């Protein structure tokens, strides 16, 4: 190989080298102990050469060796500079100019807040499945298949016979069986109904169910718990009232209204259905209704978040519209 060819070969190899390890290999191959350039000198029969030839070889060799060292040094500097980010068009240690932090969705925030309040009152937070059996969603709650109450909750049925739960009451049976009595628990979660959508109806919405079961639990306990809970949510003294309401899984059943000065106006606001747990539901949950009694309520978590934050249309919550969600980041 001629000297010029060796230099060319070295240059083209170095152009493809981007790491320190690869560079060390190239260095060894050319100027190492057994390197291409180093060996040039070993393989020459100086005894057979004229003085002129010796001089010419010597200067050519020295030039090549010096050039090779220079090329290797330049490559080493290039690799080191890239490793430290120099020479790049950006500094990736600088903070991004587009730092958009996420925030907790207003419904989930409301849920967390309510869970904390109930925990402080001795309630357990219990979660369940969104796809449940027909039994859990209806039959266990005293709603047999021919009961007109089924028509009130237009249901999404799955091909395997299960349903997307239409209400968090679907957790009642499981909670009674798994937790037993005495019991104080809330179960928040997403519910699904095939609704005609309007400003207060979504097909996907959140409820928070609550149950308290024990010896001698009465309507008075229901009123007291609801009053304390709502006073904590709205951070002011809240009055509640019960009106009769019908649900097959409570007896007697109520609609609970509360009164506050929301928006400067003192008025009654319809908030949630509730009632004393029907004896059949207790029995289905493995409890003896002559020994245990309890209350249950089904809070519309989505509606409460609307009330609390003055959101006029429930559909805004599910739209993933940043202009809506961003309004809640400041209050985290
Ligand atoms: C029920 O779902 C009963 N399971 C509640 C219950 C629990 C009664 C325990 C007695 C004892 P209802 O269908 O009314 O009831 O729904 C309860 C709340 O869920 C409503 O007050 C409302 O706030 C909310 N809700 C119901 N449907 C929708 C919907 N399509 N969009 C948004 N919120 C809804």
């Amino acid at each position: 190989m001629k000297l010029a060819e060796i230099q060319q070969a070295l240059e083209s190899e170095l152009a493809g080298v981007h790491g320190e390890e690869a560079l060390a290999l190239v260095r060894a191959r050319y100027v190492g102990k057994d390197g291409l350039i180093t060996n040039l000198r070993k393989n020459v029969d100086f005894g057979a050469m004229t003085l002129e030839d010796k001089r010419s070889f010597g200067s050519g060799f020295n030039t090549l060796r010096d050039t090779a060292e220079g090329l290797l040094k330049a490559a080493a500097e290039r690799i080191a500079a890239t490793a430290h980010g120099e020479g790049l068009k950006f500094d990736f240690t600088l903070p991004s100019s587009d730092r958009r932090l996420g925030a907790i969705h207003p419904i989930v925030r409301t849920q967390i807040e309510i869970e904390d309040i109930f925990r402080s009152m001795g309630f357990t937070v219990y979660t369940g499945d969104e796809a449940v059996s027909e039994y859990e969603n209806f039959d266990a709650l005293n709603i047999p298949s021919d009961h007109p109450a089924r028509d009130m909750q237009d249901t999404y049925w799955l091909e395997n016979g299960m349903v997307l739960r239409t209400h968090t009451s679907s957790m009642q049976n499981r909670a009674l069986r798994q937790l037993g009595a005495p019991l104080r628990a809330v179960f928040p979660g997403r519910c699904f109904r095939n609704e005609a959508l309007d400003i207060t109806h979504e097909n996907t919405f959140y409820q928070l169910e609550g149950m308290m079961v024990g010896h001698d639990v009465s309507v008075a306990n229901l009123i007291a718990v609801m009053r304390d809970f709502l006073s904590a949510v709205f951070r002011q003294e809240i009055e509640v009232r019960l009106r009769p309401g019908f649900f097959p899984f409570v007896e007697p059943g109520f609609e609970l209204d509360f009164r506050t000065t929301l928006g400067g106006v003192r008025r009654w606001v319809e908030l949630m259905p509730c009632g004393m747990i029907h004896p059949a539901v207790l029995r289905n949950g493995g409890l003896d209704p002559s020994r245990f009694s309890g209350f249950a309520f089904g809070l519309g978590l989505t509606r409460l978040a609307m009330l609390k934050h003055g959101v006029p249309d429930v559909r805004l919550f599910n739209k993933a519209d940043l202009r809506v969600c961003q309004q809640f980041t400041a209050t985290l």
Side-chain angles (χ1 to χ4, degrees), residues 153 167 169 172 193 195 200-202 205 207 209 247 249-250 271 273-274 296-298 300 303:
Q153 304 184 352
H167 51 181
S169 301
Q172 286 195 12
R193 292 183 199 175
E195 298 273 21
T200 52
H201 291 88
E202 255 290 8
F205 56 95
Q207 288 189 343
E209 191 90 0
F247 291 89
F249 37 98
V250 283
L271 185 68
C274 53
F297 59 89
R303 296 258 169 92

